[in-house]
């Protein structure tokens, strides 16, 4: 079974995917981490010939979404922590707006999706990567709620940012992600809208769990 989830930054995609993956034995594929890894490569190895560099990268997804490494030029780099810095966050939207880079990553993501039950999240999964997924969800929440969630995450990592700043960054990223020319973030016509404002993570996971159970039941008939 394929579960495809799209939604803006801070809508809870990765947290909820981790719960579902664990509970139902799905493989979790975090495509944002792949775009972030490309941004990391551009920072560390330079922006020149980036498309060629990316073609030669192997993405290694391990521990069900908890770890990401790349193999580049014969060496393995564990990027799990490196791709979560503010520097990479500010670079990644630019990288993700490059059509050539997207084409390469989409192909790799479609390959990953061939391995049994998968839950994949990003911005173009329901529209471009897995348009025929069994379950397609557009996960969202108000910008204010998303900023609060991010603020808490950063606080707990002692990387404090002020709420207003986080909120304006989220709005800026929403704007870039949903207005870019290449595969903008949008709700696919046949995707289910799931607004998580005011819901706990467990409540969201339960709702998706119900959709999976329903789909499994239907496929038995
Ligand atoms: O989900 P995230 O914040 O880790 O995503 C990082 C960036 O990558 C974000 O700016 C949107 C972009 N992205 C994308 O364009 N397409 C995807 N499938 C996943 C992420």
């Amino acid at each position: 079974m394929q579960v495809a989830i799209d939604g803006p930054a801070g809508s809870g995609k990765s947290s909820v995917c981790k719960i579902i993956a664990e509970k139902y034995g799905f493989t979790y594929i975090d495509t944002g981490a792949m775009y972030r890894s490309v941004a990391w490569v551009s920072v560390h190895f330079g922006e020149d010939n980036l498309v060629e560099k990316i073609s030669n990268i192997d993405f290694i997804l391990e521990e069900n979404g908890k770890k990401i490494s790349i193999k580049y030029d014969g060496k393995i780099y564990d990027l799990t922590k490196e791709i979560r810095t503010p520097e990479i966050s500010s670079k990644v939207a630019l990288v993700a707006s490059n059509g050539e880079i997207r084409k390469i990553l989409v192909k790799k993501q479609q390959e990953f999706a061939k391995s049994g039950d998968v839950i994949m999240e990003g911005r173009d999964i329901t529209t471009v990567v897995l348009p025929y997924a069994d379950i397609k969800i557009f996960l969202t929440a108000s910008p204010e709620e998303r900023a609060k969630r991010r603020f808490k995450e950063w606080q707990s990592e002692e990387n404090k940012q002020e709420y207003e700043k986080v909120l304006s960054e989220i709005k800026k990223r929403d704007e870039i992600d949903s207005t870019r020319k290449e595969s903008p973030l949008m709700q696919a016509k046949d995707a289910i809208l799931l607004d998580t404002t005011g819901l706990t993570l467990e409540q969201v996971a339960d709702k998706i769990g119900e959709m999976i159970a329903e789909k499994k039941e239907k496929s038995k008939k």
Side-chain angles (χ1 to χ4, degrees):
M1 185 185 291
Q2 291 179 343
V3 180
I5 303 186
D6 285 321
S11 55
K13 299 185 298 294
S14 66
S15 311
V16 93
C17 283
K18 280 178 193 153
I19 295 179
I20 298 288
E22 186 107 337
K23 201 166 166 186
Y24 296 91
F26 280 50
T27 300
Y28 165 42
I29 299 153
D30 173 0
T31 62
M34 295 171 76
Y35 286 94
R36 287 172 178 272
S37 299
V38 172
W40 184 89
V41 169
S42 81
V43 168
H44 288 266
F45 298 110
E47 285 173 26
D48 53 308
N49 300 327
L50 191 56
V51 173
E52 200 188 314
K53 283 180 185 136
I54 302 314
S55 317
N56 295 320
I57 281 179
D58 286 327
F59 291 87
I60 307 159
L61 310 178
E62 291 169 304
E63 296 173 24
N64 230 354
K66 293 192 193 92
K67 186 176 173 190
I68 182 165
S69 312
I70 55 163
K71 190 172 176 198
Y72 176 67
D73 215 7
K75 277 194 197 141
I76 292 180
Y77 300 87
D78 180 353
L79 301 184
T80 312
K81 288 208 179 104
E82 277 75 1
I83 57 171
R84 303 289 162 194
T85 63
E87 186 191 12
I88 297 299
S89 295
S90 69
K91 278 255 166 182
V92 67
L94 189 69
V95 163
S97 64
N98 181 318
E100 288 299 307
I101 290 174
R102 298 199 73 84
K103 238 189 249 167
I104 298 168
L105 292 199
V106 165
K107 242 193 199 160
K108 290 181 192 282
Q109 290 154 7
Q110 288 169 334
E111 280 302 313
F112 281 132
K114 286 181 184 162
S115 58
D117 289 334
V118 293
I119 183 161
M120 185 182 286
E121 53 99 346
R123 305 295 191 285
D124 61 343
I125 311 307
T126 59
T127 52
V128 177
V129 184
L130 303 175
Y132 302 110
D134 301 281
I135 297 174
K136 293 167 57 166
I137 299 166
F138 191 83
L139 203 67
T140 190
S142 70
E144 290 74 16
E145 169 116 0
R146 289 186 279 130
K148 267 189 231 154
R149 291 177 188 168
R150 276 287 147 110
F151 189 48
K152 265 189 212 151
E153 269 176 35
W154 283 340
Q155 254 187 339
S156 65
E157 284 169 24
E158 285 165 14
N159 193 358
K160 293 187 183 177
Q161 306 239 357
E162 289 156 39
Y163 170 78
E164 288 300 334
K165 196 171 156 218
V166 176
L167 179 60
S168 92
E169 275 169 10
I170 279 197
K171 285 183 176 168
K172 197 166 92 194
R173 275 228 278 157
D174 281 359
E175 173 76 11
I176 295 174
D177 287 343
S178 47
T179 58
R180 70 173 177 224
K181 220 173 94 215
E182 300 288 341
S183 311
L185 169 69
M186 59 175 183
Q187 186 184 347
K189 266 196 215 125
D190 53 352
I192 299 160
L193 177 69
L194 186 46
D195 188 338
T196 69
T197 310
L199 296 182
T200 65
L201 196 53
E202 289 69 27
Q203 285 170 325
V204 179
D206 283 349
K207 278 182 191 284
I208 297 175
E210 282 166 22
M211 292 179 207
I212 293 173
E214 205 176 292
K215 201 79 196 177
K216 279 187 177 166
E217 200 50 47
K218 263 194 194 154
S219 68
K220 271 191 211 158
K221 285 177 188 162

